[in-house]
Amino acid sequence: MCPNLSKSKSTIKIASSKPTRKKQLTSFCMCAPHPRRRSYYQIREFQMASSGDELESEDPDDELELELDLDEPAPQPSEDALPERLYDINEADAESRAATLEQLSIKDEDAWWNQVPLTNLDLSSNALSHISPKIENLQSLTVLILHDNALVDLPAEIGKLEKLMRLNVSRNKLSDLPRELYSLPELRHLNISYNEFSELNPDISDLHMLEFLDAGHNSIKSLPGGIGFLVRLTALLLPYNHIKDLPPDLVNMRSLQRLDLMQNDLTCLPEDMGLLRKLQFLYLQHNDILELTDFEGNETLTELHASNNYISNIPIRMCENLPHLKVLDVRDNKITQLPDELCLLRNLNRLDVSNNSIDKLPVSLAALAHLISLQVEGNPIKSIRRDILQCGTSRILRTLQERSVAKSKDEGESDSGAGARLSGGQAGNDTAANYPDSRYQPQQQQNHFEYQFQYRAQAHMRPMQPQAEPFRVYEPPYSRQGQEHVYDQENCETEKKFDYSGHYMQQQQHNFQFNGYSSMYQQQQQLCYGQCVVCPRWVYKLRHTRTLAVNLEEITDVPEEVFQLAQKEGVHVVDFARNQLRTVPNGLQHMQNIVTELVLAHNRIGQVPQFISQFTRITLLNLSNNLLTDLPKEFGVLNTLRELNIANNRFSFLPSGLYDLQGLEILIASDNHINELNVAGLQRMPRLSTLDLRNNDIDFIPPILGTLTNITHLELVGNPFRQPRHQILMKGTESIMSYLRDRVPR
């Protein structure tokens, strides 16, 4: 049935005749503000969707003006048509135009020339099978939503809506789009998912402004060759189709950030995937892929989902090329072995290798300082006892770390008579051939301490006494085979002494000079255990990754010279997670104008210094798992901060400085002792979208929290409050916020 137009004394609703169902009708509620025969009514749009994909971005507070004559009987819509008045909504009737200026001046805002044209039209869930060609009369439309109807075609006149920017025709019965639609000059968002398309029209490449395309849940078997012309596209969603091959020009989409190819028939990926340099999310689940590419050039990739394929191994080069990868999901494949080089994925948060054929876990996994979820069930692992595997991620990593330390000690004892070494240098023969960045190409050497580049930048140092254990830097096993990196000649002279007099450590007012590795042991400096040293391989990493990362090294202090060097090399990411720092290193002040990400998680820091407020470019700050109870008042001046993690500390309240962070989008404050919510403060944070307050001591949730519409992800589990109940919390943010709004006093 077509929507019913019902009339009452003060309200007119265009409502669906469908029974109550999961997807609710977008309704237009019009309340007459003036007791006159002909009045103007405020239209407020309320949109409800059953999933994030259906949720559109139009503002629910947008108000439009509509003139309706309450004295005239409502037109009865036909079986396949909307009320005819809808298509003339932007036009004033003859009586209004005939009104004198004196009559209209009584209420100037009611004059027809002051009416706001209709820009958003949502006709979702109305069982429409036909859209009238008169849709072309709505020339001001920017958003048109026809989701969840019974449309089998669209009128060609839709191509005349030159201002249209967003079109959603998902969940219909469409198999093609009118050719005129591909000439829309401003269309940026197109959703044709859940239809009956078997192919995409090659003319889709004419939508030069398109930024989002969702064609999932169709029967598409191939993509048109010209799709690469959509150079502005940031999201391409093609899940649940029958695509077997990807066109070569797909990699021309240089702005692409999200690519979803889940549930297709792919067997391989384009070899030049690296050209998609802005790609962040790649979904390849449930295909027939046999191997992964090296992803050389995809340095921005943060999530790679490739479960339920036929992958037999994880390429070593892939581990080298994805420094920012946070999620790697390769469960339900044919993998038999994990490479030691997985430790190079230093930002990895979640690794899922469930249901493969892996019988051994590499000890190098213990070097992943940010790994919080390691899923290995369903593998025939024999190197670790089953009871340890059942204890979860922390216990597995602890076991691997213990074995790593034991292995390091065993290797140290076996090498104790071989002379002093640093990062693989051999006693008495520490030439540039031992550096991964040297222009000198050495012969391959069978030595456990020869690796491509340094991952750990730490030396376990003890006071140097006669007969002391040689000074060394421990690194995870790594092969030098295939090494191609070089240093600039000015920074690394081959077959000569290496002079690092410019970058040194101070101890007891003396210089510790790197003037050839063997000369280090001629300096009888009393160095404390737990300090950080600079070596050529570390400089190489700083320069080429712009990242200063020292994790799992038990360091208690970082010399200023380290930060001076990092500042000189343009480093913008600093990561000292999982160490023993008791204070924020003062040397960080040298980098206050360049640091964008600062990670100091899992230390013993009890206070944040005031100089943290001077970091003018910082966007991410992770202070989780420390001993903090407050933050400095000046903290609120960090206008560039987007994400803050203060979980697992000792906060009893959210610091007042947080409420001045106008740009903050993500606040994680779980596992503290916070006992109340300052909703008035949260209202001052207009961009806050994620708020995580799990496992605190909050005993009351103010209902007014539900009015903060900017919060789209709210976590409250693990607090002692009684309302909302646990069942509501489990339903998600939307249910929680709705529950709270219903209890706001009116």
Side-chain angles (χ1 to χ4, degrees):
M1 288 290 294
C2 186
N4 297 323
L5 185 62
S6 59
K7 182 178 71 172
S8 63
K9 182 175 181 181
S10 60
T11 303
I12 295 179
K13 297 182 179 179
I14 301 178
S16 172
S17 60
K18 287 186 177 182
T20 302
R21 51 181 296 178
K22 182 179 179 181
K23 290 175 284 296
Q24 300 295 326
L25 170 70
T26 298
S27 61
F28 297 84
C29 300
M30 298 166 275
C31 302
H34 306 296
R36 295 166 48 189
R37 177 174 179 272
R38 180 171 287 105
S39 305
Y40 294 90
Y41 299 90
Q42 301 296 321
I43 301 177
R44 186 178 295 272
E45 301 181 8
F46 300 88
Q47 182 177 17
M48 292 166 282
S50 62
S51 69
D53 291 337
E54 298 168 15
L55 187 61
E56 303 295 334
S57 63
E58 52 265 21
D59 187 353
D61 291 331
D62 287 344
E63 292 186 350
L64 307 173
E65 291 187 349
L66 169 66
E67 178 188 1
L68 290 178
D69 191 345
L70 292 182
D71 292 339
E72 297 178 359
Q76 296 299 319
S78 62
E79 180 70 15
D80 294 325
L82 291 166
E84 291 296 324
R85 182 68 181 94
L86 175 65
Y87 299 110
D88 300 323
I89 196 172
N90 291 333
E91 302 294 333
D93 59 19
E95 186 175 348
S96 295
R97 290 181 177 276
T100 65
L101 182 61
E102 181 179 356
Q103 292 173 324
L104 292 172
S105 62
I106 298 176
K107 196 69 174 180
D108 185 66
E109 60 267 26
D110 286 347
W112 58 268
W113 55 76
N114 285 330
Q115 295 183 39
V116 178
L118 183 67
T119 58
N120 293 9
L121 179 58
D122 190 336
L123 302 173
S124 302
S125 304
N126 276 288
L128 299 175
S129 61
H130 175 71
I131 297 295
S132 171
K134 292 183 179 179
I135 191 76
E136 66 177 324
N137 295 339
L138 303 177
Q139 288 291 314
S140 57
L141 275 186
T142 60
V143 176
L144 177 58
I145 305 174
L146 301 172
H147 161 77
D148 192 24
N149 282 288
L151 299 174
V152 294
D153 58 17
L154 295 177
E157 286 76 10
I158 203 170
K160 297 182 180 180
L161 304 178
E162 296 185 353
K163 296 183 179 180
L164 194 64
M165 300 175 63
R166 181 183 293 261
L167 175 61
N168 186 343
V169 292
S170 61
R171 294 188 182 274
N172 281 280
K173 299 180 180 180
L174 300 172
S175 59
D176 196 7
L177 296 176
R179 188 172 183 178
E180 291 78 7
L181 184 144
Y182 299 112
S183 63
L184 291 173
E186 298 295 329
L187 192 65
R188 287 169 167 79
H189 185 290
L190 177 60
N191 189 341
I192 59 173
S193 61
Y194 293 92
N195 277 283
E196 299 175 1
F197 289 89
S198 59
E199 62 180 0
L200 293 180
N201 193 315
D203 291 337
I204 197 171
S205 60
D206 293 336
L207 297 173
H208 300 300
M209 300 299 292
L210 198 63
E211 298 175 358
F212 178 95
L213 174 59
D214 186 351
H217 295 267
N218 282 283
S219 301
I220 300 173
K221 297 180 180 179
S222 62
L223 299 178
I227 198 170
F229 288 107
L230 301 177
V231 294
R232 296 176 182 267
L233 206 65
T234 61
L236 177 59
L237 312 182
L238 298 165
Y240 292 89
N241 281 287
H242 303 290
I243 301 172
K244 295 183 178 180
D245 298 296
L246 298 176
D249 64 341
L250 179 74
V251 297
N252 294 334
M253 299 179 180
R254 303 301 171 86
S255 300
L256 197 63
Q257 299 176 15
R258 182 182 178 190
L259 178 59
D260 190 345
L261 297 167
M262 180 174 59
Q263 289 279 2
N264 277 281
D265 300 324
L266 295 172
T267 58
C268 62
L269 297 175
E271 293 183 0
D272 47 0
M273 282 287 292
L275 295 177
L276 300 175
R277 300 191 183 278
K278 294 185 179 181
L279 189 64
Q280 298 180 20
F281 307 96
L282 179 58
Y283 303 91
L284 302 170
Q285 304 100 308
H286 294 274
N287 278 278
D288 300 323
I289 297 174
L290 300 176
E291 61 180 2
L292 295 173
T293 68
D294 292 340
F295 292 101
E296 184 173 1
N298 299 118
E299 293 185 358
T300 60
L301 192 65
T302 58
E303 294 189 16
L304 173 57
H305 301 266
S307 62
N308 294 92
N309 281 280
Y310 297 95
I311 300 169
S312 59
N313 65 82
I314 298 178
I316 294 176
R317 293 295 302 274
M318 187 191 84
C319 301
E320 301 173 25
N321 296 327
L322 301 179
H324 300 291
L325 193 69
K326 294 183 178 180
V327 176
L328 176 58
D329 181 3
V330 288
R331 68 184 186 275
D332 293 285
N333 277 283
K334 305 296 182 181
I335 299 173
T336 58
Q337 184 178 6
L338 295 179
D340 291 329
E341 289 76 13
L342 276 176
C343 65
L344 302 179
L345 303 173
R346 69 168 197 85
N347 285 308
L348 200 63
N349 291 335
R350 183 164 71 89
L351 174 61
D352 192 343
V353 293
S354 306
N355 302 324
N356 280 278
S357 302
I358 301 167
D359 59 2
K360 182 180 179 181
L361 295 180
V363 296
S364 60
L365 288 178
L368 296 173
H370 302 287
L371 190 63
I372 60 177
S373 176
L374 174 61
Q375 304 297 324
V376 297
E377 60 270 13
N379 285 282
I381 297 176
K382 300 178 181 179
S383 59
I384 300 179
R385 297 198 317 267
R386 182 179 299 274
D387 60 310
I388 294 178
L389 295 176
Q390 292 176 346
C391 290
T393 302
S394 299
R395 185 68 179 93
I396 296 173
L397 293 180
R398 192 185 320 140
T399 299
L400 293 176
Q401 188 172 8
E402 292 170 355
R403 295 183 181 182
S404 176
V405 173
K407 182 179 179 181
S408 177
K409 290 181 179 179
D410 293 342
E411 291 173 343
E413 292 175 0
S414 63
D415 294 333
S416 59
R421 300 173 183 166
L422 178 65
S423 295
Q426 296 187 4
N429 187 28
D430 288 312
T431 66
N434 290 317
Y435 305 119
D437 37 57
S438 174
R439 298 183 188 276
Y440 174 79
Q441 300 296 326
Q443 295 180 349
Q444 300 298 321
Q445 308 207 15
Q446 302 298 323
N447 190 312
H448 288 294
F449 287 90
E450 288 188 330
Y451 314 124
Q452 182 173 357
F453 62 86
Q454 176 172 339
Y455 176 75
R456 294 190 179 188
Q458 179 268 344
H460 291 268
M461 293 175 284
R462 297 176 176 82
M464 289 189 176
Q465 302 295 340
Q467 307 299 324
E469 180 181 1
F471 175 86
R472 59 169 50 83
V473 174
Y474 170 75
E475 298 174 342
Y478 194 86
S479 170
R480 293 176 59 91
Q481 187 175 3
Q483 178 281 119
E484 300 175 355
H485 302 295
V486 297
Y487 243 175
D488 295 335
Q489 187 71 19
E490 62 181 6
N491 293 323
C492 184
E493 294 292 332
T494 59
E495 299 183 304
K496 294 181 180 180
K497 291 183 178 180
F498 194 94
D499 187 2
Y500 250 78
S501 58
H503 307 303
Y504 56 88
M505 294 174 53
Q506 292 183 347
Q507 179 68 21
Q508 298 180 353
Q509 305 301 320
H510 295 289
N511 292 333
F512 189 78
Q513 187 173 6
F514 292 94
N515 189 16
Y517 288 133
S518 59
S519 66
M520 292 174 59
Y521 303 97
Q522 300 172 7
Q523 307 266 352
Q524 296 299 316
Q525 302 291 342
Q526 300 297 315
L527 297 177
C528 298
Y529 172 84
Q531 279 191 322
C532 199
V533 298
V534 179
C535 72
R537 298 185 182 193
W538 195 15
V539 178
Y540 170 81
K541 283 210 68 179
L542 294 181
R543 178 168 303 167
H544 290 269
T545 67
R546 298 293 188 265
T547 299
L548 170 59
V550 186
N551 310 125
L552 292 163
E553 303 299 348
E554 305 293 329
I555 61 173
T556 59
D557 190 23
V558 184
E560 287 196 17
E561 289 75 15
V562 172
F563 297 107
Q564 291 173 351
L565 174 60
Q567 190 271 339
K568 180 180 179 181
E569 299 296 342
V571 168
H572 58 80
V573 177
V574 177
D575 183 355
F576 283 97
R578 296 184 184 273
N579 285 290
Q580 295 295 323
L581 296 175
R582 294 183 178 273
T583 60
V584 177
N586 288 325
L588 272 172
Q589 297 181 73
H590 294 289
M591 307 178 66
Q592 63 187 22
N593 294 325
I594 61 174
V595 168
T596 59
E597 298 183 15
L598 176 59
V599 181
L600 298 171
H602 291 274
N603 280 281
R604 302 181 63 82
I605 299 172
Q607 185 177 5
V608 176
Q610 294 182 353
F611 70 72
I612 198 72
S613 63
Q614 300 171 6
F615 283 67
T616 56
R617 298 182 59 190
I618 191 167
T619 60
L620 181 149
L621 178 59
N622 189 342
L623 297 170
S624 63
N625 294 87
N626 280 284
L627 306 175
L628 299 173
T629 58
D630 201 357
L631 295 175
K633 296 181 179 179
E634 298 83 358
F635 200 81
V637 304
L638 297 175
N639 294 326
T640 59
L641 192 63
R642 295 290 179 267
E643 180 176 348
L644 174 63
N645 189 339
I646 55 174
N648 281 284
N649 279 279
R650 299 181 179 179
F651 292 97
S652 59
F653 57 90
L654 288 177
S656 58
L658 295 184
Y659 303 122
D660 295 324
L661 297 173
Q662 297 296 305
L664 194 68
E665 298 174 2
I666 301 174
L667 174 58
I668 303 176
S670 59
D671 297 280
N672 280 282
H673 302 288
I674 299 171
N675 51 41
E676 65 177 351
L677 279 180
N678 183 353
V679 179
L682 294 174
Q683 289 176 329
R684 290 156 47 191
M685 307 170 71
R687 295 189 179 181
L688 186 65
S689 60
T690 299
L691 178 60
D692 188 345
L693 295 170
R694 291 173 296 171
N695 303 325
N696 278 282
D697 298 329
I698 303 172
D699 56 6
F700 175 70
I701 303 297
I704 196 174
L705 179 66
T707 64
L708 302 184
T709 56
N710 52 298
I711 296 180
T712 58
H713 187 80
L714 177 63
E715 295 285 352
L716 296 173
V717 174
N719 284 279
F721 56 78
R722 300 185 63 180
Q723 300 291 340
R725 294 185 178 276
H726 183 75
Q727 293 85 339
I728 295 177
L729 298 181
M730 291 297 98
K731 292 181 179 180
T733 302
E734 184 177 351
S735 296
I736 297 173
M737 302 297 274
S738 177
Y739 175 90
L740 294 174
R741 282 194 298 269
D742 291 343
R743 280 152 183 78
V744 175
R746 301 183 184 277

